[in-house]
Amino acid sequence: MENVLNWQGKYKISLLRDFSRLQEIYALNHDALSEVGDISPRQNGMLVIDPRLDKMAETSILIADEGYEIIGTISFTLDGKEGMHLEKWFEREVEAIRAKGDVRLGTAWRFAIERKHRNNRRLVLEMICAAFAVGRKQHCNKCLVVSTYRHIGFYKKFMEAEIVAQRQASLDGKRLVDIALLMIDVEETWKRIKKVIS
């Protein structure tokens, strides 16, 4: 996958090759979610959502690197025999979508940006665009995302996301938060965001 440079050329977005850096991704994910109150802070400072997915061929982990610091990450997992992590909260809904038979599902997940870069809209959109580019290459046509309520407006604005279901659930086994299952068209969203960042 090509590196995607921002206009200043300070960071690059690429597939993670060095899996010893997963600890950095777990820490970034923990910090992003705990700082906004979606999870309870953990003593080890890490959040491991579903470690089995990290080892699967269906999962691609993308990072935004500035120097040797990971300032952003997003993962994309194609639906397969092991399923997707979001089924722990929306099993029936995902099964109903699969049953329609006209979709190749994937999920964009574990999206986190380091605090001082979160207002960089271009970085945010480039990360999403890179993840959807991975989905396109895998012939995925519908992407499922679990979002807390505060981000639903963003997904609707930039991705025309459809709300499939909503409920209260825990992202870390402790704190309950309001979450939604969103469905997004991969091709149309990739084109739309690509146009915005071009």
Side-chain angles (χ1 to χ4, degrees):
M1 178 182 174
E2 291 182 10
N3 292 335
V4 182
L5 295 178
N6 75 338
W7 67 275
Q8 293 176 317
K10 288 185 177 179
Y11 61 80
K12 65 179 181 180
I13 297 173
S14 59
L15 290 169
L16 180 71
R17 302 294 184 192
D18 180 1
F19 283 85
S20 68
R21 302 191 74 187
L22 275 173
Q23 303 297 313
E24 296 173 64
I25 289 169
Y26 298 154
L28 180 57
N29 198 36
H30 169 274
D31 293 348
L33 290 174
S34 62
E35 285 165 9
V36 295
D38 288 340
I39 66 168
S40 300
R42 297 188 171 194
Q43 193 169 6
N44 67 0
M46 294 188 190
L47 179 64
V48 184
I49 295 175
D50 195 335
R52 69 193 172 92
L53 295 183
D54 292 327
K55 301 171 184 176
M56 287 167 37
E58 290 87 353
T59 296
S60 300
I61 303 168
L62 295 114
I63 58 171
D65 242 332
E66 187 175 68
Y68 196 68
E69 178 190 4
I70 295 177
I71 62 170
T73 186
I74 188 170
S75 296
F76 191 94
T77 298
L78 190 66
D79 193 17
K81 63 181 180 179
E82 296 295 328
M84 298 173 287
H85 76 289
L86 46 74
E87 292 177 74
K88 69 176 82 172
W89 305 299
F90 296 103
E91 183 178 6
R92 283 181 301 167
E93 291 85 354
V94 174
E95 284 297 338
I97 294 169
R98 285 192 187 114
K100 294 178 181 178
D102 60 348
V103 294
R104 183 160 171 78
L105 290 176
T107 180
W109 60 291
R110 195 166 49 192
F111 186 26
I113 303 288
E114 201 272 333
R115 182 194 300 176
K116 66 185 177 186
H117 295 280
R118 282 180 206 150
N119 289 330
N120 185 341
R121 190 182 80 163
R122 185 176 182 86
L123 171 60
V124 170
L125 293 176
E126 283 183 345
M127 294 292 296
I128 294 169
C129 191
F132 276 66
V134 169
R136 286 179 77 245
K137 286 184 179 179
Q138 297 173 324
H139 308 291
C140 171
N141 62 347
K142 296 293 181 183
C143 177
L144 298 178
V145 173
V146 168
S147 172
T148 54
Y149 281 15
R150 76 170 60 83
H151 297 305
I152 290 175
F154 172 83
Y155 285 107
K156 281 188 167 185
K157 177 179 179 180
F158 287 100
M159 300 171 229
E160 297 187 0
E162 170 193 347
I163 298 175
V164 178
Q166 297 171 282
R167 66 175 43 103
Q168 272 204 331
S170 174
L171 302 178
D172 64 351
K174 295 180 181 179
R175 183 171 298 184
L176 285 175
V177 292
D178 295 316
I179 62 172
L181 177 65
L182 309 176
M183 187 160 63
I184 301 165
D185 185 278
V186 172
E187 182 69 20
E188 290 306 312
T189 296
W190 177 81
K191 287 179 181 176
R192 189 178 301 114
I193 295 179
K194 191 82 172 170
K195 186 175 182 180
V196 170
I197 63 178
S198 293

